[in-house]
Amino acid sequence: MAKKSADKVKAALARAQILPPERRAEIARQAAKARWGEGKQPLLAKYGAADRPLKIGSIEIPCYVLADGTRVLALRGLYAGIGLSPGGGRSGERKIVDLMVSLATKGIDIRGLIARVDSPIRFTPPHGGPPADGFEATILPDICAVLIDAHQKGKLGKYREHLATRAAILQHGFATVGIIALVDEATGYQDFRQRDALAKILEKFVAKELRPWVKTFPAEFYKQIYRLNGWSYTENAGRPGVIGHWTNNIIYKRLAPGVWEELKRLTPKTPSGSYKNKLFQRLTEDVGHPKLREHMSAVLMLMKYSPHWKVFMDRLDREFPQWGKNFLLPFPEDYAPPGLPPPPNFVDN
């Protein structure tokens, strides 16, 4: 496959060489128009600044996040970052294209980089000024991998060895964290992304208006709570107040990030401290309520196959940990609900 790709590149280069100079110039002009988006409106970058570059060791590359969430590395910064001088004008900035063509002819898998580096993104920085050009950030790991592979196979050439050195430094920098996370941290998008993601989750799960009450929690849910704690269950009898706290823990706190807190915030309380409405009445009909039913089914399955409360809670924390708490709760062996007798040895009834 690599040989066929190299043969195609060689053939294309050979055809280009036999064209008259004026024809080659015309093709170059048309390619530049397509490449640099002549007449197109630059995209808007919302996050990032020249003085807040992506830093890996001593290497700095200006980076931005566009309005659509695309992470972009400034073209000239990326060139400098990998140790390749862009030279002057557009022809200088084609050096990486020429490099990839050269490596392809030597049998190196260039991961489709010729088309990708030959199609930069034109954008306007957040602070204004003239439009700039950049590449989607995920291109950098591939460039580094190609350069390192070429060096290891002895195809990079002695005067380009420094490119492999720079690529190794960069690759080490984002090997564990990831290029997207590094760009988000450098641009400050990380904090906004978290807030924006939470807002989108809450919009899907929490309704703007109170929904009518419909029976949502099946009697089996409460029967299993009683069984797991060794209590006698009576239909329509009053329930201990602790069950409300357990319901928040078992159901609402495990639906999605921030949902329980938002439901609490939106649901008013009576003077005695009780909620005026059921929390599930604030769940959306298309996402929130179906997700609650789905989670409830899974919880009931865990309950039915657990011998007592401690085992159930251990399994619940493993399978459906609370959002923001990815650890097991330390239930003691002699656990008993507050103010209630400890559960007896399990008897399957």
Side-chain angles (χ1 to χ4, degrees), residues 52-57 61 63-65 71 73 137 140-141 169-190 193:
R52 294 186 61 179
L54 167 65
K55 294 182 181 181
I56 300 178
I61 304 175
C63 54
Y64 302 89
V65 179
R71 283 74 164 179
L73 303 177
L140 183 56
I169 294 171
L170 289 167
Q171 193 177 67
H172 177 74
F174 51 68
T176 54
V177 178
I179 188 67
I180 294 297
L182 289 174
V183 171
D184 288 357
E185 182 179 2
T187 59
Y189 185 59
Q190 177 177 267
R193 181 194 64 203

Side-chain angles (χ1 to χ4, degrees), residues 140-341:
L140 183 56
D142 283 340
I143 291 175
C144 291
V146 168
L147 293 175
I148 292 171
D149 182 43
H151 176 63
Q152 290 174 341
K153 292 178 178 176
K155 304 293 185 179
L156 196 56
K158 200 151 187 71
Y159 77 99
R160 288 174 173 163
E161 283 185 353
H162 68 286
L163 300 182
T165 301
R166 304 279 285 197
I169 294 171
L170 289 167
Q171 193 177 67
H172 177 74
F174 51 68
T176 54
V177 178
I179 188 67
I180 294 297
L182 289 174
V183 171
D184 288 357
E185 182 179 2
T187 59
Y189 185 59
Q190 177 177 267
D191 295 333
F192 173 82
R193 181 194 64 203
Q194 292 171 348
R195 294 193 303 271
D196 185 51
L198 179 58
K200 289 179 179 177
I201 289 172
L202 296 181
E203 184 179 353
K204 288 182 178 180
F205 274 80
V206 182
K208 292 182 172 60
E209 296 184 4
L210 195 68
R211 297 173 63 247
W213 183 92
V214 292
K215 186 174 177 62
T216 300
F217 283 71
E220 184 64 23
F221 175 71
Y222 300 106
K223 287 180 182 178
Q224 289 298 326
I225 289 179
Y226 275 64
R227 179 187 69 80
L228 292 167
N229 284 282
W231 305 338
S232 297
Y233 179 79
T234 302
E235 193 79 30
N236 299 323
R239 294 190 288 265
V242 71
I243 290 183
H245 295 290
W246 288 345
T247 301
N248 290 335
N249 178 347
I250 296 168
I251 302 297
Y252 292 112
K253 291 184 180 181
R254 302 171 196 258
L255 285 180
V259 168
W260 180 65
E261 290 81 0
E262 185 70 359
L263 292 175
K264 281 200 309 176
R265 186 183 71 81
L266 294 174
T267 307
K269 289 188 174 182
T270 64
S272 64
S274 302
Y275 290 115
K276 289 185 176 181
N277 308 106
K278 297 296 184 182
L279 295 184
F280 60 75
Q281 290 181 260
R282 281 283 178 184
L283 292 173
T284 55
E285 190 170 357
D286 59 335
V287 175
H289 203 68
K291 183 64 177 178
L292 183 145
R293 292 198 304 269
E294 175 188 318
H295 179 65
M296 176 70 73
S297 297
V299 164
L300 282 172
M301 186 66 67
L302 286 179
M303 285 178 159
K304 290 176 180 179
Y305 289 94
S306 297
H308 53 73
W309 186 256
K310 179 183 179 298
V311 171
F312 162 64
M313 289 304 298
D314 284 347
R315 291 173 175 173
L316 182 68
D317 284 327
R318 287 192 185 93
E319 298 296 329
F320 306 104
Q322 286 186 28
W323 291 100
K325 292 186 179 180
N326 297 318
F327 52 84
L328 295 179
L329 297 177
F331 283 91
E333 292 296 329
D334 59 350
Y335 167 78
L340 294 168

Side-chain angles (χ1 to χ4, degrees), residues 74-87:
L75 183 147
R76 286 181 172 270
L78 184 141
Y79 270 60
I82 62 175
L84 190 66
S85 171

